[in-house]
Amino acid sequence: MKKILLPTDFSKNAYNAIEYCLRLYENATCCFYLTHAFTPAIYRVDYMMGSPGQIGLPDDYKYIAENRLEKLRKQLKSQFNNPRHTFIVHAAFNSLVDEVSIMIRQENIDLVVMGTQGATGAKEIFLGSNTVHVIKKSEVPVLMIPDECTFSAPKDILFPTDFEIDYNLVNLNYVFELIKLYKTTLHIMHVTVPKGLRAAQEKNKRVLKDMVKTVEHVFYDLPDQELIDAINSFEREHKTQLLTMVRNKHTFLERLFIEPIIKKIGFHTMVPFLVLPYH
């Protein structure tokens, strides 16, 4: 059974991400953890003294959060009525980033799914600070769903790479599961640089080719250009339904995460974005 963490702030954006996830895994047996992390704007004396329950004071914030989560659980059960799916609600006085990390370890979570904040441009997604920190700390894949993105079966998945990664240290099973579930084609895209591939990159490419030989796939070598431009152009031309990349300190993706510029440029994509950890 797959265990999926669904953080929510009870916004329309968060509900849209949850709905997408339930449709994506409608034919899989899953346990979904509906999670809300809260930090009251004004810390009451009972929070300063310790756990409200321990000193006999009512924890109003947690009570309200748990009620809203239970209402959400009933709504999802009623709307989707999927016997393969079970739901667990969890509210915690903590930051979202820290609570996600705790839940991943304590509940052996397989995947985190969360919404991305829509920007002023209809075709832009800006990764907010919470999302970026969750991705950087998460030991499991994180799937980000754009605001107002409607579910479409992922028949074509785009996987940009610079072959700087030892793929033996990447768990691609999450991608392979979707490929087999939806009979998907994996589009592996590399932006060619004038100097060509180094010996280490050639080795990594051979490893990747061996790993994907059991699934439908195509390799592409595109002319030298900015990666974001290449991604946007590829998505427009091939109409891919999912973008996936590996988070690694040597890759383009990680350089974006550690530089403030990501908040300025965003990803000009309206497709879900799956980030795989590198171990």
Side-chain angles (χ1 to χ4, degrees):
M1 180 170 60
K2 185 176 292 295
K3 295 184 176 182
I4 301 177
L5 182 63
L6 299 173
T8 180
D9 58 1
F10 306 108
S11 66
K12 179 181 177 182
N13 183 30
Y15 188 86
N16 183 62
I18 293 171
E19 182 175 356
Y20 181 98
C21 182
L22 267 58
R23 294 190 185 280
L24 181 66
Y25 288 103
E26 66 177 349
N27 294 318
T29 302
C30 302
C31 180
F32 298 101
Y33 291 77
L34 301 171
T35 299
H36 178 69
F38 58 94
T39 49
I42 300 176
Y43 291 87
R44 303 178 327 198
V45 63
D46 47 326
Y47 281 118
M48 299 300 291
M49 295 172 63
S51 169
Q54 291 179 353
I55 56 178
L57 296 176
D59 187 347
D60 295 336
Y61 287 100
K62 188 172 184 181
Y63 176 77
I64 292 171
E66 287 176 342
N67 277 350
R68 296 185 73 180
L69 286 170
E70 181 60 22
K71 182 179 178 180
L72 175 60
R73 186 190 69 82
K74 290 180 179 179
Q75 180 180 350
L76 294 172
K77 289 284 289 184
S78 174
Q79 179 180 345
F80 293 94
N81 191 28
N82 191 332
R84 294 174 179 266
H85 294 172
T86 57
F87 298 88
I88 294 175
V89 299
H90 174 75
F93 174 61
N94 201 353
S95 71
L96 172 64
V97 176
D98 288 342
E99 194 58 31
V100 167
S101 296
I102 291 171
M103 289 291 289
I104 287 174
R105 292 192 302 270
Q106 288 187 350
E107 304 297 339
N108 295 316
I109 297 296
D110 298 301
L111 174 71
V112 178
V113 179
M114 56 195 303
T116 54
Q117 180 62 47
T120 53
K123 294 183 179 179
E124 292 182 345
I125 297 170
F126 283 81
L127 304 184
S129 58
N130 271 338
T131 308
V132 171
H133 288 303
V134 167
I135 291 170
K136 288 180 68 175
K137 293 186 67 174
S138 178
E139 299 171 0
V140 301
V142 178
L143 176 60
M144 294 168 287
I145 310 301
D147 192 21
E148 298 184 3
C149 172
T150 56
F151 176 74
S152 178
K155 297 296 185 181
D156 295 279
I157 297 177
L158 175 58
F159 181 29
T161 181
D162 54 12
F163 300 120
E164 292 281 1
I165 297 165
D166 180 354
Y167 295 99
N168 291 309
L169 301 178
V170 181
N171 190 345
L172 292 174
N173 287 334
Y174 299 98
V175 179
F176 294 161
E177 286 176 3
L178 290 175
I179 291 174
K180 293 174 182 177
L181 195 61
Y182 288 98
K183 296 180 173 58
T184 300
T185 299
L186 182 64
H187 300 268
I188 302 166
M189 185 190 79
H190 172 250
V191 176
T192 306
V193 296
K195 294 182 180 179
L197 296 179
R198 295 179 291 100
Q201 289 174 296
E202 290 283 6
K203 179 181 177 182
N204 292 334
K205 184 177 181 180
R206 289 193 297 270
V207 170
L208 180 59
K209 281 187 172 182
D210 186 62
M211 294 178 73
V212 301
K213 64 184 180 183
T214 60
V215 300
E216 189 71 26
H217 68 277
V218 183
F219 277 85
Y220 301 84
D221 285 310
L222 302 186
D224 190 20
Q225 59 190 293
E226 289 292 332
L227 183 58
I228 286 183
D229 292 337
I231 291 172
N232 295 334
S233 296
F234 194 96
E235 287 183 345
R236 285 193 295 267
E237 181 179 351
H238 297 271
K239 307 298 182 185
T240 54
Q241 296 83 38
L242 180 68
L243 169 67
T244 185
M245 297 177 72
V246 178
R247 186 201 73 225
N248 174 259
K249 65 181 180 180
H250 299 301
T251 66
F252 171 85
L253 183 61
E254 179 67 9
R255 292 198 298 273
L256 278 183
F257 284 157
I258 63 176
E259 294 175 4
I261 193 172
I262 191 171
K263 295 181 180 179
K264 298 179 181 179
I265 61 174
F267 277 103
H268 297 252
T269 177
M270 284 302 292
V271 301
F273 183 22
L274 176 66
V275 178
L276 304 173
Y278 188 74
H279 299 292

